[in-house]
Amino acid sequence: MAEKQDRINDLIHDRKETSFQREFSFTEKTTLEDIRKLQEEFAAERNWNQYHTPRNLLLALVGEVGELAEIFQWKGEVKEGLPEDERKHVGQEMSDVLVYLVRLADKCQIDLSAAVLEKIGLNAEKYPVHKVYGKSDKYTEYRNDVIEVDAEDRIPS
């Protein structure tokens, strides 16, 4: 138990050391697999696996997305970056969303990292830079055109 808490504290400490960089980036030390394992242990220790069915996890995920949306509701357009107190609250709600998403992927046996990379590659095919640059139309607006994907537009899998 103490070893796991030390692992969590190390991940938090590493992030705090890099959180004041000028350019934003995620910590490189914490992976989706780290999060998956931590949540798997967390649920097992509490005997919650019996409740973590894909349906229940999805409904919990939707609820957390609603809580995140509630923070921004009625604010109009929000600029990049947030005040510290609001950033902390948004970060907590985003963390809830991510935890449930990772747990759902675990229960569905979907390698979320691989699925994301595949989806980015598919999006590159649907939205080739030379046709969509600066436009926000849905890909169906471009499907009548022959879409040719250059090697540099494709994300390696």
Side-chain angles (χ1 to χ4, degrees):
M1 184 79 96
E3 181 182 311
K4 182 170 60 170
Q5 190 60 47
D6 289 344
R7 199 168 82 214
I8 293 168
N9 289 339
D10 286 346
L11 294 171
I12 292 168
H13 176 72
D14 288 343
R15 183 63 197 151
K16 282 184 179 176
E17 286 183 354
T18 61
S19 65
F20 297 106
Q21 298 171 351
R22 261 192 170 286
E23 299 234 356
F24 176 79
S25 67
F26 294 129
T27 181
E28 294 179 16
K29 286 197 166 195
T30 308
T31 66
L32 290 176
E33 180 60 14
D34 292 333
I35 296 167
R36 188 198 67 75
K37 285 178 181 176
L38 287 169
Q39 277 307 111
E40 181 179 53
E41 293 169 10
F42 184 88
E45 290 169 350
R46 290 156 180 79
N47 192 26
W48 287 353
N49 281 315
Q50 60 186 320
Y51 308 114
H52 286 190
T53 63
R55 177 189 172 277
N56 287 347
L57 292 166
L58 176 60
L59 293 174
L61 172 64
V62 169
E64 294 300 339
V65 168
E67 289 181 24
L68 177 60
E70 202 172 74
I71 297 169
F72 293 96
Q73 188 175 18
W74 313 120
K75 287 192 175 187
E77 195 55 47
V78 176
K79 293 181 181 176
E80 211 174 297
L82 298 167
E84 184 60 37
D85 59 331
E86 197 168 66
R87 188 173 340 136
K88 184 175 179 95
H89 186 199
V90 169
Q92 290 171 348
E93 296 303 335
M94 286 182 172
S95 296
D96 289 339
V97 169
L98 180 62
V99 163
Y100 278 118
L101 181 62
V102 169
R103 189 77 173 135
L104 178 60
D106 183 24
K107 290 296 183 173
C108 293
Q109 298 181 351
I110 294 172
D111 180 343
L112 201 50
S113 296
V116 165
L117 293 175
E118 182 180 345
K119 183 63 177 176
I120 290 171
L122 292 171
N123 284 344
E125 291 177 19
K126 284 201 276 193
Y127 298 100
V129 173
H130 67 280
K131 289 191 178 186
V132 303
Y133 187 82
K135 300 176 184 175
S136 63
D137 299 327
K138 187 172 170 112
Y139 74 95
T140 53
E141 296 297 316
Y142 308 105
R143 78 172 157 201
N144 290 336
D145 299 337
V146 176
I147 297 177
E148 297 174 20
V149 178
D150 298 333
E152 60 225 296
D153 287 341
R154 187 180 296 269
I155 307 272
S157 45

